[in-house]
Amino acid sequence: MNWTELITGLVMILIQLALFLLLAPLVTAWVRKVKAIMQNRQGPRMMQPYSDLWKLLRKEVIQPATASWIFTITPYVVFVTTLSVALIVPIFTTILPLGFIGDVIALVYILATARFFTALAGLDAGSPFGGLGSSREMSLASIIEPAMMLAIFTAAVTAGSTNLGTIAAQADVGLLLTPAHLFAFLGLFIVAMAETGRIPVDNPATHLELTMIHEAMILEYSGKYLALMEWASSMKLLLFLTLLANVFLPWGISNDLSLVSLGVGAVGYGLKIFALATVMAVIECSTAKLRLFRVPDLLAASFVLSLIALILFYLLGGESHAVL
Amino acid sequence: MDAHLLFIFSAVLYLAGAVSALFGSPKTRWGAYLFAIAASLTGLISSLLVLLNNSPITVHIPILQSLKDLTPTLSLFSNMGLHVDALSAFFVLLISMLTLPVSIYAIGYVREYEGKKSQELLGVLYNLFPLSMLLVVTANNALLFLICWELMTLVTYFLVTFDHENPENVRAGSLYFIMAHVGTAFLIALFVLFYQHSGSLDFDSFRQIAGSWSELPKTLLFFFALIGFGMKAGIVPLHIWLPEAHPAAPTPISALMSGVMIKTAIYGLLRIYFDLLRPDMEWWWGVVILALATISAVIGILFALIERDLKRILAYSSVENIGIILIGVGLAMIFYAYPSSVKFETLASFALIAALFHLANHTVFKGLLFMGAGAVFQATHTRNLEHLGGLIRWMPWTAACFLVGAVAISALPPLNGFVSEWLIFQSLILGLAVPDLVVKVALPVCAALLALTGALVAACFVRAFGITFLARPRSDKVEQAREVPLPMRFGMAVLALLALSMGLTATAIVPVLSNIASSLVNSPGIETALVNGTILSPPAANHGTVSPLGLAWAFLFLLPIGIWFMLIRSPFQRRIAPTWACGLSTLSPQMEYTATGFSKPIRMIFRSLIQPRKEIIEETDESSYVKRRVRVRLDVQSPFDRSFYSPVSAFILKSSRSIRKIQSGSINAYLAYIFLALVVLLIFAR
Amino acid sequence: MPFCSTDLGLTFDPQIGERLIDLFAAFMLVCSLLFLATERRRLHVRLYAFQSLSLAIVAFSVAFFQCERHIFIAAILTLILKVIIIPIVMERILHRLIPQQTVKPAINIPASLLIAGGLVLAADLLTQSILATGHQFALAQNVLTISIAVMLLALLTMVTRKKALTQVIGFLSMENGLFLAGITITAGMPMIVELGVFFDVLVAFFIMGVFLYRISETFDTINLERLTKLKH
């Protein structure tokens, strides 16, 4: 490999990582802002999440007396695994120099790793809230994952690859979605709402024991640890928006390294992300939170949407695009 | 070194270990385990030699050879030998690989039984058990296979009922014994069918007649093998003995039973379908196996999730893992036998690699987890999750090893479970190339259910690890716990390291598995297409790759970013404070989340599958408003018990009662029976 | 009608029209699924309006891209009748009805959704067997599957739900599926048939509306389980 290639690759990796890391709090802020506007409030300013993170990062950690080293390593595990998806998910370009280390199936399991350790940390402090959060999170995850896998299946089969860069590059770049993609998109959208703890499923803004899921698990975290956990959940939100944007609506994503296409890719990415975030915020404002045991209804809908996506795909005479 | 000689050594060493246990003094009680260690080590090397050199070995057993000379007319004994080909060598490798650390562990574990139990018996059985498995997976003759299969069942029956003071264990042993023999009956029927057609009990002769089976006997063979081996493997709904018997045995035995014994059944299935019946295979067989496998996976893990006994959780999880392995096997059968212009042999080979990889993985992490559970049991004398908690402070080593096992079985990257599940998902996606509507609907549904299983496994092991090792003790049993002795820790650490390294070096393992798989589907190896440096890819161009080592490096390189944030002002400073107790002054262990509470949402969501029952018994005083005591009973009703096993056992009992009438007790009556039988035989069997 | 693609002298990539029709037909199926996924009546009404809007767009697309001028009339009628009038009337009925507690569906939501998945597959199989007879259709075959699926899901909605209003919606949605099949398979039935169907729907809807009132006033609920009492 020659040097220019190596350096370009390294720069691309660093840009994607930095973008993913730094854009995440902004998207969270945008969702909050849209919600605030819809609720006739002014809402916090857009830079507020950054200030929050900065403040938390400078505060000391308070650790529960009963907690073990699981509690200590979890923030690192969650932060690092969530950040690592920026290496395999196309953000504004489909060129991923390290894309070979994992595909979309690996992505599901990387997210599962973060969830696994968060749930353990929830149990570690010995508080009833932590256990409640862990229990709910793991139970919901078990019904989220089939729907997610089916949606991903559709995307992978239509593109003939499970590599996210290839999926984004080969996805049907018409202006209109095919029915199969529409269904898979809707299925994954519901999954995204559930995975990122948005309103019909969970409420990121509440600390009410009746309703909280994710917040209950991280209730004992403070200071720097809390900063890492919060940042990771922002990144997870951004990740799902990115998946929705780039797998199903890959308009404008850059397939080469020319500056023009990279610029178009970056601008298009920004527009898509903020549009999707707006949609998400609007849905959050216009629906009521579901009771915990009604959530399976929603996820069953997501599962069936994805299943129909596959059926419709075959219907169109689609065959597996895999080159055997 | 000579693989042939080493293999014989291995068998002989096990035998020697069994004999030595009889004559050892109480002080040298661990001598038998040293023999097992030596035997497994030689077995390990021998099987590795066979696998790496790709040179099968044939072992003749002298005594059996002389039997052949004595009865030259009986073709039954024509070739009573052992044959170690790639498939057998793989299983010998697994057996040895697990027996080695388990034997080390056992040295520490059997102290538990000091003065309480017969050490001699345990030593004898402990050595005979791996030996019988070794013979099962290498026997090249149906009769020898059945004898060893029965030996394995008998030895394990005695081991399951080793703690026979506990009536539960005796009950579990009886259930196991009955179910195992129903299975064996089907196997006997299977081999009788083979014999009828080929005129010999030799596997070689079976191979010669392969391809000449007609529809009905072929279908019978398929189902006989499925039921016979499925019983041992614990395929739902034939699994009910497994969660009873596996936990009842002493822990090293549980580890071996769940780790490798149930896999001898997978060996049997592979041997029958992919070796002896390869040209006769039908693709719908694969669909049947796929369906059963998926059901096993989901049902197994659901029952594991509601179980409160640590070892039973692991046993149910074995049912689930057998399901995952069989998903790979079923896929391979579909791909191999699908009648189409395009052959999917490469895909079949790929699916088999996935199945074999998961098989090896399960051996490692299930052995590890069972040993961890055994360590917990030895330290606390309870296996009930509701009495545990906070053990990570008392048993840090066990906790760390158990965590590795839990992470591996939950298929989290970059450990070994992740690689095999990735391979299985890839074969499911690629399988959509098969142009059949049934397959195209079945595979996505199977993938979705496998994803469901994966998430439930994670939930199950968060619960098992979290409730056992985290938070604070739920009973005083924990506070008396001590870390287990060194040999036990060492045995666990070996497997923990193996679980980690099998993930990171997956690219070195896949070519070996690819050799085995290609010998089964009779196609050239595909490993060049699968492995590129540290990158694994499925046998399709540009179809997504994974690199476990790459992922591990990525995590390591990104870690400094997290740590750097920690360094901003007051690095790593922390204050210890009590857990927030919702405003109460102290947080008592009663307020912690329980194992039952943890799985409540799962019970609610999947209530139609597991049918939980809740019974509230209230004892009241004179006034019905003053309650003296309220008891809540929660349990689940296995749908198989109610709709299948209860009617069957009721029928058997009823028919037994009617048959009892011929048992008059009078000598004359019995003599009359014999006389009658003789006459009938003379007339009909001239 | 003054314009369709050829009148304007425009030539489009034929794929654009097809994809537009495909996409909005798919939206109709999404609505049918959501009927099953929710129990909120107001949402049902809105979903019906959206489904009808999608249908109108499909009709316009067929009319525009295939120059089937008479379908414009059907499209405009759909727009006026099903997107505007019926939903508004239905909202009014809802407003007048006595608020009531939710009624559990006969089959729970996840199960009915899974059945729905199976029905879409069945619709697919049906289409395949129709196609196997060698018929040529004006439009892509998947619209046929979607229309069959919309009808089947509507029927499922009517079977599993116990509220009268939901049943009315199911009926109307079934008609939407029928209409979709009509305009896409045959590129429009004869004008008079279409108008007849419209009229039928309108009349049926108003009769049902009247019935709703009556049921509601007699039993203080529109839970159809109460109707079993009539025979006593």
Side-chain angles (χ1 to χ4, degrees), chain A residues 17 21 54 57-58 60-70 72 76 79-81 83-84 87 99-103 105-106 109-110 112-113 116-117 119-120 123-129 131-132 134-136 138-139 141-143 145-146 149-150 153 156-157 160-163 166 219-220 224-225 228 231 293 296 303 307 310 314 318-320 322-324, chain B residues 344 347 392-393 403 406-407 410-413 418 421-422 425-426 428-430 432-433 440 444-445 447-448 451-452 455-456 458-459 462 465-467 470-472 535 539-547 550-551 554-555 558-559 561-563 565-580 582 587 591-593 597-598 601-602 604-606:
Chain A
L17 276 176
L21 195 60
W54 182 241
L57 279 173
R58 280 150 31 109
E60 70 169 348
V61 169
I62 300 174
Q63 189 169 336
T66 45
S68 64
W69 53 269
I70 299 282
T72 319
Y76 298 105
F79 183 78
V80 165
T81 48
L83 182 57
S84 71
L87 299 174
F100 65 86
I101 60 171
D103 59 355
I105 302 167
Y109 281 99
I110 290 173
T113 311
F116 187 88
F117 278 91
L120 280 185
L123 283 167
D124 200 13
S127 120
F129 284 116
L132 177 144
S134 306
S135 161
R136 289 177 178 176
M138 297 314 282
S139 310
S142 68
I143 42 175
E145 234 159 75
M149 197 52 92
L150 265 190
F153 231 70
V157 171
S161 173
T162 56
N163 191 312
T166 321
L219 204 58
E220 290 296 323
K224 294 168 183 222
Y225 287 170
L228 288 189
W231 207 333
F293 291 114
F303 179 83
L307 190 70
L310 264 181
Y314 287 124
E319 285 298 326
S320 170
V323 185
L324 289 175
Chain B
F344 299 104
L347 265 188
I392 196 166
R393 267 181 297 287
L403 180 64
V407 169
S410 308
L412 304 184
F418 164 68
E421 293 211 4
W422 185 86
F425 271 116
Q426 281 291 353
L428 279 167
I429 293 184
L430 287 176
L432 292 176
K440 278 181 175 171
V445 170
L452 170 70
L456 287 173
V462 162
F465 180 82
I467 304 286
L470 300 182
R472 56 179 81 205
I535 306 169
N542 271 334
H543 197 275
T545 54
V546 77
S547 164
L551 276 176
F555 293 156
L558 292 177
L559 188 58
I561 300 180
I563 292 176
F565 286 134
M566 287 296 119
L567 297 177
I568 304 169
R569 209 160 97 179
S570 66
F572 299 109
Q573 191 183 334
R574 75 177 75 138
R575 188 148 53 93
I576 306 290
T579 306
W580 185 57
C582 317
L587 199 62
M591 291 160 69
E592 283 178 68
Y593 232 58
F598 193 93
I602 303 271
M604 291 285 290
I605 294 169
F606 297 98

Side-chain angles (χ1 to χ4, degrees), chain A residues 172-183 186 190 286-288 294 296-308 311-312 314-317, chain C residues 16 19-20 22-24 26-27 29-30 33-34 37-40 108-111 113-114 116-118 120-121 124 127-128 140-143 145-146 153:
Chain A
D172 217 336
V173 204
L175 208 56
L176 294 169
L177 287 169
T178 64
H181 278 93
L182 172 73
F183 275 86
L186 291 175
I190 296 179
S286 52
T287 51
R294 292 297 297 278
D297 296 355
L298 184 69
L299 292 166
S302 150
F303 179 83
V304 171
L305 283 170
S306 310
L307 190 70
I308 291 178
I311 296 172
L312 288 181
Y314 287 124
L315 205 70
L316 278 167
Chain C
I16 294 181
R19 289 188 73 165
L20 204 68
D22 275 357
L23 185 65
F24 281 94
F27 268 122
L29 187 54
V30 172
L33 266 182
L34 293 180
T38 179
E39 286 170 30
R40 288 165 62 195
N108 70 12
I109 289 178
L113 281 169
L114 290 178
V120 176
L121 191 67
D124 178 20
T127 318
Q128 303 284 354
Q141 60 186 64
N142 46 319
V143 180
T145 309
I146 289 177
L153 293 198

Side-chain angles (χ1 to χ4, degrees), chain B residues 39 84 90 182 258 274 298 321 369 372 394 424 456 461 539 552-553 606:
Chain B
V84 189
F90 176 66
V182 174
S258 254
F274 278 96
V298 174
N321 277 285
L369 288 167
W394 282 269
I424 288 186
L456 287 173
F461 283 90
W553 277 117
F606 297 98

Side-chain angles (χ1 to χ4, degrees), chain C residues 176-196:
Chain C
N176 272 354
L178 201 66
F179 194 68
L180 178 67
I183 54 171
T184 49
I185 295 173
T186 62
M189 291 171 269
M191 193 65 185
I192 192 75
V193 179
E194 266 164 31
L195 290 179

Side-chain angles (χ1 to χ4, degrees), chain A residues 12 16 19 86 88-96 163-175 239 241-273:
Chain A
M12 292 306 292
Q16 296 233 25
L19 194 68
I88 57 173
V89 173
I91 292 183
F92 58 91
T93 169
T94 56
I95 297 166
L96 301 164
N163 191 312
L164 280 158
T166 321
I167 293 178
Q170 300 206 336
D172 217 336
V173 204
L175 208 56
L239 163 73
L241 294 178
T242 308
L243 278 182
L244 287 169
N246 287 350
V247 171
F248 295 103
L249 322 163
W251 306 321
I253 196 161
S254 102
N255 283 321
D256 55 57
L257 284 173
S258 75
L259 279 180
V260 175
S261 83
L262 284 180
V264 169
V267 172
Y269 174 70
L271 288 177
K272 279 184 289 183
I273 291 296

Side-chain angles (χ1 to χ4, degrees), chain C residues 43-65:
Chain C
L43 194 57
H44 276 159
V45 175
R46 284 179 196 161
L47 279 172
Y48 174 69
F50 184 71
Q51 190 182 45
S52 308
L53 181 65
S54 307
L55 179 65
I57 294 174
V58 171
F60 271 118
S61 311
V62 172
F64 183 74
F65 289 102

